[in-house]
Amino acid sequence: MTEPTAEPADPGGPRTATLTAAVLAEESRRQEAQTQRSEPLVLPDELLPAVGAAELSLRDTLRRGGWAIVTLAVLLVVIEQLSRETTNVLAPDIRAYFGLSDTGLMALASFGGIALVLGAVPMAWLADRVPRKYVVAGSAAGAALCLVGAALAGNTFQLFLAYSGIGLAAAYSTPVFGSLISDGYPLEGRGRIFSLHAMATPLGLALGPFTAGSIATLAGGAEGWRWAYLALAVPVAVLAIAALVFLREPVRGRYEQETVTGEVLDQSDRGGELPITIGTAFARMKKIKTFYFMCLGIGALGLALITVPLQLTLLLRDEYGYGAFTRGWILSLCQIPSIVAMLIAGRRFDRMYRVDPARTMRVAGYAIVAYGVLTLVALRLQQPALLLVCYALATAFTGMALVAVNPLVASVAPYRLRAQAFAIVPIFTFLMGGFLGALVVGAISDAHGQRVALTIAVPVSTVAGGYLFHRGARYLRQDISRAVEELLEEQEERRRIAADPQHTPVLQVRNLDFSYGTVQVLFGIDLEVARGEVLALLGTNGAGKSSLLRVISGLGIPDRGVIRLNGRSLTYAEAELRFRAGVVQLRGGAGVFPELTVTENLRTALLTTDLSPAEAKDRVDRALGRFPALADARQSRACDLSGGQQQMVALAMTLVHEPELLIIDELSLGLAPVVVQELLAVVEELKREGTTMIIVEQSLNLALSFADRAVFMEKGRIMFEGSAAELAGRDDLVRAVFLGETRGSR
Ligand SMILES: Nc1ncnc2c1ncn2[C@@H]1O[C@H](COP(=O)(O)OP(=O)(O)OP(=O)(O)O)[C@@H](O)[C@H]1O
């Protein structure tokens, strides 16, 4: 794209020198102001939710949030762990019954693990669309059925299906309970509630061998294991019903809203919001540095978390000759310190967070390193009892670190994205550190033994994990501040719309930052376009106009800020959904299918809509009717048309969608003046009809001739905003464009 044209200055004359000096002085003043503005926003403590607040007892936290969410979360996780432990503990019986090898059974069961991690993403998607109690109840009912399926399995394929189903049915737990706990309990007590949820995993692991072993022994015989699965199906089914009866859908982001804005924001229009996809959620969450470093840290730690128990089991078998049953018992006992540590850590987290939130994350980093050190010490010990005690202490430290993760995710993720954010974290643990790392560590272990493999893997994993947590802690205040800022902005906007609903802008961009990778190109953009208004977006080369349009149409996800269409947020909606909602962009010099005829091009543009053939034909006729120059060319192939006619076809292809907001990027680029006039006539007609438009145009005169208002951008910021007539009178800006071109071309 080229920049706006303007009257050339008198090159070389004293007037130019004075003007250049003035512009440069103005430029340095602006840059200074910009640097100040781009300082990351960090709010004072009293504005950060829960920081400096009075202590809230666990009892009061539960009184305010109710027992239902936490009770169901704990019980369902415990039973899910029990079912996994049943498979581990009763493996010899199951293996013998089906004539499977060790590896064969583990391979069958591991599909459940994969389904558990990858299933979290669609479950988060679901949790955003239906009340979460249905997701909990549905998943629990599914788990009950699959447990019955495992109990009745007649062959390995059926067993495989049942295990995968059990894994998939547990996939909702992290995103759905993560978001339910975040929305259901006040911030001051959230660490403790999350610690109860986290503690359910080691509790299930600790109880598993005892429960599974006892049931199988009681039932007796070669098929005793079936009773263990069947016995677990009953409580899960009961919990599914309990979820339907007792779970209430909490308002999303309720406690943050209450703390920050003093009220719970009206969510009645939530149904009108465009759904969030995991891709956009991931793109946005990745830009929240605390979250980014925490995910990397968890990913690195995943290497140790997954390989250590596995290698340790092998070590207990190979070096000490312990059988499967004994190993199961021993490793279960090793969970006990971690249960205690988690409960203590939840309490300490809440306390520490109230004083200094970043410290919670740094301490989690130290705990990860302590886990690494203790595991290494354990590996040096030959005495099995000492080795195991040391390892059990080590797991207590990871337990402490893990307790911090979910409440921290809750504090930095925008409340609309929380379910997805919770679903993303385990993917890092399992895929980055766990799956990839396990292969490497397995290979080292095969060649040099378990002690060597772990002595290499544990320091790498825990030092990297600890460091990444420590690093992420630097950004915590800033990221919490952003979440607060977004809530305040949302409150202000809702009030404004409520006070004057007639004047809700068609497009609203607030506080928008955008980066390509680490290079930030848009800074704090604020922009509104009223209904029926035509806004000219102007600026020098590389000012950020196209980037801004990309973010508006959903091709780029902002680091910060909000985009609304008619008052509803579409910040996290993907491009296609925005397009369906009416944000349609004409891209300069592109966009037609050369081999298709004009009419076919227009029909193709409507393929993704639900219009009836009659409606579609009507729209095509209406759009083409605006362009007399295309009257005789309807059956011509687009490639046989002139450049100007192709641009008309491209514009007609946008008009068939009857856009709510039409974005025109370079209408006149490379076209003859006579064609431009013809296109302009259509645009002016659209303006008379009340179409809301944003126009990026290289020709300043052209843009200002039909725009109501103009925005002038420079270096990713808006430098001027006002009526088109006013901009035409701002000699300095017009000349800055021109001087920019002169400097750039030298
Ligand atoms: N895909 C990309 N990756 C990295 N940087 C990019 C990318 N696209 C644009 N940029 C950078 O972003 C900044 C803004 O570019 P953008 O194209 O949005 O400006 P513009 O105002 O539309 O300029 P032009 O009129 O020249 O197209 C520039 O510094 C540019 O180099």
Side-chain angles (χ1 to χ4, degrees):
M1 202 188 301
T2 51
E3 64 237 12
T5 51
E7 293 295 311
D10 170 21
R15 239 187 103 227
T16 310
T18 322
L19 190 61
T20 309
V23 170
L24 291 178
E26 171 72 7
E27 169 76 10
S28 66
R29 194 191 57 75
R30 266 184 217 153
Q31 275 187 0
E32 206 171 297
Q34 282 169 7
T35 318
Q36 276 169 10
R37 266 189 286 158
S38 42
E39 288 287 313
L41 165 95
V42 179
L43 295 172
D45 277 1
E46 57 271 22
L47 291 179
L48 300 182
V51 179
E55 180 161 3
L56 189 68
S57 68
L58 181 60
R59 182 187 300 211
D60 284 341
T61 307
L62 287 168
R63 200 175 41 76
R64 286 174 68 185
W67 282 87
I69 297 174
V70 69
T71 310
L72 282 161
V74 170
L75 292 179
L76 281 164
V77 171
V78 168
I79 297 181
E80 199 257 316
Q81 290 303 324
L82 288 184
S83 77
R84 266 201 251 175
E85 281 305 290
T86 302
T87 307
N88 287 339
V89 173
L90 303 180
D93 300 351
I94 301 172
R95 219 177 42 199
Y97 185 86
F98 290 102
L100 281 166
S101 67
D102 251 0
T103 328
L105 182 63
M106 281 306 122
L108 285 190
S110 66
F111 274 95
I114 296 171
L116 170 73
V117 176
L118 298 183
V121 171
M123 286 296 175
W125 180 89
L126 204 61
D128 264 352
R129 285 158 179 81
V130 296
R132 287 166 281 186
K133 75 171 179 181
Y134 295 124
V135 185
V136 176
S139 300
L145 279 178
C146 292
L147 283 165
V148 173
L152 301 179
N155 55 46
T156 45
F157 181 65
Q158 288 169 2
L159 197 63
F160 161 75
L161 286 184
Y163 284 163
S164 303
I166 293 170
L168 195 62
Y172 78 95
S173 179
T174 306
V176 176
F177 277 123
S179 66
L180 274 174
I181 291 173
S182 310
D183 296 335
Y185 295 96
L187 282 86
E188 296 86 342
R190 229 181 244 170
R192 273 160 288 169
I193 303 293
F194 269 119
S195 74
L196 290 172
H197 183 220
M199 173 278 299
T201 303
L203 185 62
L205 287 175
L207 294 177
F210 172 75
T211 323
S214 313
I215 300 172
T217 315
L218 270 179
E223 297 190 41
W225 55 271
R226 294 188 187 278
W227 289 99
Y229 286 123
L230 216 50
L232 289 175
V234 177
V236 182
V238 172
L239 290 173
I241 297 167
L244 277 184
V245 177
F246 296 111
L247 271 188
R248 302 268 166 277
E249 181 70 17
V251 174
R252 290 180 200 247
R254 173 190 167 168
Y255 287 103
E256 279 82 0
Q257 292 170 13
E258 251 178 25
T259 321
V260 172
T261 68
E263 59 179 314
V264 180
L265 302 177
D266 177 20
Q267 305 254 328
S268 53
D269 64 349
R270 219 189 113 74
E273 276 187 18
L274 295 181
I276 299 160
T277 56
I278 188 76
T280 43
F282 185 68
R284 174 70 174 235
M285 290 306 301
K286 203 174 68 179
K287 295 184 172 190
I288 299 175
K289 288 203 172 92
T290 313
F291 183 79
Y292 175 75
F293 281 108
M294 198 153 54
C295 282
L296 291 182
I298 282 280
L301 178 63
L303 173 62
L305 286 185
I306 291 184
T307 53
V308 171
L310 200 74
Q311 294 294 326
L312 209 60
T313 320
L314 297 175
L315 188 128
L316 292 177
R317 183 190 65 185
D318 295 351
E319 281 193 26
Y320 302 102
Y322 292 149
F325 197 68
T326 319
R327 293 198 305 268
W329 268 104
I330 290 177
L331 290 176
S332 293
L333 289 177
C334 287
Q335 299 297 326
I336 292 171
S338 131
I339 299 171
V340 179
M342 282 178 161
L343 294 177
I344 297 171
R347 197 179 171 73
R348 293 212 43 90
F349 177 92
D350 283 336
R351 282 208 184 138
M352 218 182 275
Y353 192 91
R354 288 201 310 271
V355 179
D356 178 6
R359 198 157 156 236
T360 59
M361 196 166 169
R362 283 197 301 271
V363 169
Y366 301 141
I368 291 173
V369 176
Y371 159 71
V373 171
L374 280 172
T375 308
L376 283 181
V377 172
L379 289 170
R380 295 272 141 262
L381 300 169
Q382 299 301 325
Q383 234 289 328
L386 283 179
L387 185 156
L388 290 165
V389 168
C390 200
Y391 169 66
L393 284 177
T395 60
F397 280 98
T398 33
M400 281 169 62
L402 293 178
V403 159
V405 173
N406 282 348
L408 287 173
V409 170
S411 68
V412 294
Y415 71 88
R416 289 186 171 82
L417 296 185
R418 276 208 285 235
Q420 275 94 344
F422 284 116
I424 291 169
V425 180
I427 296 180
F428 278 80
T429 323
F430 282 86
L431 295 189
M432 189 175 136
F435 185 64
L436 297 177
L439 292 179
V440 178
V441 177
I444 303 175
S445 162
D446 285 344
H448 305 284
Q450 294 94 14
R451 287 188 200 257
V452 174
L454 289 183
T455 306
I456 296 171
V458 169
V460 172
S461 156
T462 53
V463 169
Y467 166 74
L468 288 162
F469 267 65
H470 201 268
R471 176 88 201 273
R474 279 193 223 162
Y475 303 100
L476 188 63
R477 270 172 191 268
Q478 177 188 324
D479 289 334
I480 299 173
S481 300
R482 280 191 178 180
V484 169
E485 181 196 41
E486 281 183 23
L487 273 175
L488 289 170
E489 192 276 335
E490 185 173 346
Q491 180 191 36
E492 184 193 316
E493 188 51 28
R494 278 170 192 257
R495 284 187 180 160
R496 196 169 74 134
I497 292 177
D500 188 7
Q502 301 302 319
H503 291 98
T504 306
V506 171
L507 177 79
Q508 186 184 44
V509 175
R510 293 290 291 268
N511 297 331
L512 189 103
D513 287 354
F514 173 71
S515 313
Y516 291 104
T518 53
V519 182
Q520 188 170 347
V521 296
L522 296 178
F523 301 83
I525 301 287
D526 280 322
L527 188 80
E528 282 189 3
V529 191
R531 179 156 300 282
E533 190 181 29
V534 178
L535 180 83
L537 186 57
L538 308 167
T540 49
N541 254 1
K545 305 179 293 291
S546 303
S547 305
L548 178 55
L549 297 188
R550 282 176 69 81
V551 181
I552 293 172
S553 52
L555 298 173
I557 299 299
D559 309 351
R560 180 175 79 123
V562 186
I563 301 166
R564 295 193 178 90
L565 185 71
N566 294 321
R568 288 189 176 147
S569 169
L570 39 77
T571 320
Y572 310 116
E574 65 179 14
E576 193 197 330
L577 292 176
R578 297 184 197 209
F579 176 73
R580 284 169 188 263
V583 180
V584 181
Q585 181 168 347
L586 169 74
R587 291 178 61 77
V592 295
F593 300 104
E595 293 302 320
L596 300 183
T597 67
V598 170
T599 319
E600 284 167 349
N601 260 291
L602 267 66
R603 285 212 200 110
T604 311
L606 286 173
L607 278 183
T608 52
T609 63
D610 305 326
L611 294 177
S612 70
E615 281 171 321
K617 183 176 177 312
D618 193 38
R619 287 216 190 168
V620 170
D621 288 343
R622 254 185 293 151
L624 284 177
R626 293 180 186 272
F627 298 92
L630 296 178
D632 299 328
R634 290 188 177 202
Q635 299 315 320
S636 308
R637 287 187 314 163
C639 58
D640 297 331
L641 303 179
S642 67
Q645 284 174 318
Q646 287 191 14
Q647 182 74 324
M648 288 176 197
V649 176
L651 182 54
M653 284 168 77
T654 63
L655 297 182
V656 289
H657 296 290
E658 300 187 344
E660 188 67 14
L661 172 70
L662 177 60
I663 301 173
I664 300 181
D665 193 356
E666 300 288 18
L667 185 73
S668 68
L669 187 70
L671 299 178
V674 56
V675 180
V676 174
Q677 283 312 317
E678 227 168 306
L679 283 164
L680 212 55
V682 175
V683 174
E684 274 169 354
E685 188 181 306
L686 291 171
K687 181 181 168 183
R688 276 196 300 279
E689 289 169 10
T691 309
T692 311
M693 287 182 267
I694 298 182
I695 300 210
V696 173
E697 187 45 64
Q698 56 167 312
S699 161
L700 202 59
N701 291 339
L702 193 75
L704 297 183
S705 70
F706 59 85
D708 301 305
R709 214 154 48 84
V711 158
F712 180 84
M713 289 182 71
E714 200 183 335
K715 295 189 179 154
R717 290 179 165 85
I718 291 183
M719 305 308 296
F720 169 88
E721 191 182 345
S723 73
E726 220 180 311
L727 178 64
R730 282 286 300 264
D731 211 33
D732 57 335
L733 293 174
V734 174
R735 284 182 188 280
V737 176
F738 178 71
L739 285 174
E741 180 184 323
T742 323
R743 286 204 303 271
S745 58
R746 269 178 198 162

